[in-house]
Amino acid sequence: MEEEIETPRDPKPCGPLEEYRIPDYVLRPDAQQVLVDHAPQCPVLVFINSKSGGQLGSSLIKTYRELLNEAQVIDLSEEAPDKVLQRLYVNVERLKMEGDILAVQIWRTMRLIVAGGDGTASWLLGVVSDLKLSHPPPIATVPLGTGNNLPFSFGWGKKNPSTDQEAVKLFLGLVKHAKEIKIDRCHLNIFLFNLFDACKACSKDLKNGYLVNINNNVYASVLILSPHASYMYFMHAQGTNLKP
């Protein structure tokens, strides 16, 4: 059964959809360049796991593509986020060399939306971290999984969203007005060894028979909605979050 999306008491207006759309030629190097009056205020690139939330993922893709440019809504079952972001970055760099200021403005102000479970959200956070971009885009998380601990930690709620146009417009308004913060991310690898062999073979931290190896030098950006977000994340990203 589809559930209502959790929203704050004072939802922000979405405004014109043109403020979120990214022109085709910025997204795709093979698209014809067109003149645009002004850069969108809150350009978004949307990643959706169509297999998450039962049929909700597919329905959400359909609605976002109806409201935005179809090319800026990516089905993660068809294309990996690293390929999409690398292609976009290379294209923006080419346009920058050609003097296209609008494309550069879009890249600098772009926000990512990821809809899926905690694994999907962590995947995108990790990709943004690993790409080491000079301007990593902040990420808003749509709860579309089972646990939805990551969106909940950042104030976006735990319930799966409605997929109609009004609900999506409401979420776009929240993304537009959300604040950006930095978060920490680490990779945690746990290996189970024989206690004697582990002590003999390695000088790393050993706790209760588990060899724990932590690397916490990874960076990304996330968007936080709630000012009272718990900021309890594990094996997630250092990044930027949106907060009203």
Side-chain angles (χ1 to χ4, degrees):
M1 179 178 177
E2 188 174 304
E3 297 181 272
E4 292 288 328
I5 188 171
E6 290 183 349
T7 59
R9 295 177 183 177
D10 184 24
K12 306 294 184 180
C14 169
L17 290 172
E18 288 75 15
E19 298 299 335
Y20 304 90
R21 292 183 181 136
I22 301 176
D24 245 0
Y25 82 91
V26 176
L27 297 164
R28 295 169 37 230
D30 59 338
Q32 184 177 359
Q33 190 165 350
V34 295
L35 291 177
V36 181
D37 292 338
H38 66 281
Q41 186 178 350
C42 183
V44 295
L45 193 60
V46 185
F47 295 90
I48 300 176
N49 186 345
S50 60
K51 298 180 180 179
S52 293
Q55 298 298 318
L56 291 182
S58 297
S59 181
L60 205 56
I61 289 176
K62 181 176 181 294
T63 304
Y64 269 101
R65 286 179 174 171
E66 289 171 351
L67 297 175
L68 304 175
N69 182 345
E70 185 173 339
Q72 73 187 95
V73 183
I74 293 90
D75 184 346
L76 288 171
S77 69
E78 298 177 355
E79 193 167 16
D82 54 334
K83 303 297 184 184
V84 174
L85 291 173
Q86 285 173 347
R87 181 175 65 242
L88 176 59
Y89 177 74
V90 170
N91 195 40
V92 169
E93 286 297 302
R94 177 184 64 82
L95 293 170
K96 179 181 178 181
M97 294 293 292
E98 296 174 358
D100 192 323
I101 299 176
L102 183 136
V104 177
Q105 289 178 327
I106 288 176
W107 176 260
R108 289 180 177 272
T109 58
M110 184 176 67
R111 294 183 162 188
L112 305 184
I113 296 174
V114 56
D118 290 327
T120 301
S122 297
W123 181 21
L124 185 59
L125 286 166
V127 165
V128 173
S129 296
D130 294 341
L131 287 175
K132 294 179 170 50
L133 302 170
S134 57
H135 292 280
I139 303 168
T141 53
V142 180
L144 200 63
T146 303
N148 298 322
N149 293 310
L150 185 57
F152 180 72
S153 295
F154 298 145
W156 297 98
K158 285 180 74 78
K159 293 182 179 180
N160 291 337
S162 296
T163 60
D164 59 275
Q165 290 194 4
E166 290 307 310
V168 170
K169 288 179 183 178
L170 178 58
F171 190 83
L172 288 172
L174 296 177
V175 172
K176 179 180 178 180
H177 295 281
K179 297 179 181 178
E180 184 176 331
I181 68 160
K182 303 291 184 182
I183 62 170
D184 291 322
R185 175 179 185 264
C186 69
H187 292 298
L188 177 63
N189 301 314
I190 302 178
F191 306 93
L192 179 58
F193 286 94
N194 174 279
L195 186 59
F196 176 77
D197 291 340
C199 290
K200 187 171 63 173
C202 185
S203 60
K204 295 180 181 178
D205 293 336
L206 184 66
K207 297 182 179 180
N208 299 324
Y210 287 88
L211 181 63
V212 181
N213 179 19
I214 300 177
N215 301 311
N216 59 0
N217 58 348
V218 187
Y219 173 77
S221 298
V222 186
L223 297 172
I224 289 181
L225 183 63
S226 170
H228 307 295
S230 63
Y231 302 105
M232 294 178 61
Y233 14 86
F234 40 89
M235 298 178 67
H236 294 316
Q238 179 184 26
T240 310
N241 193 347
L242 292 182
K243 188 177 182 180

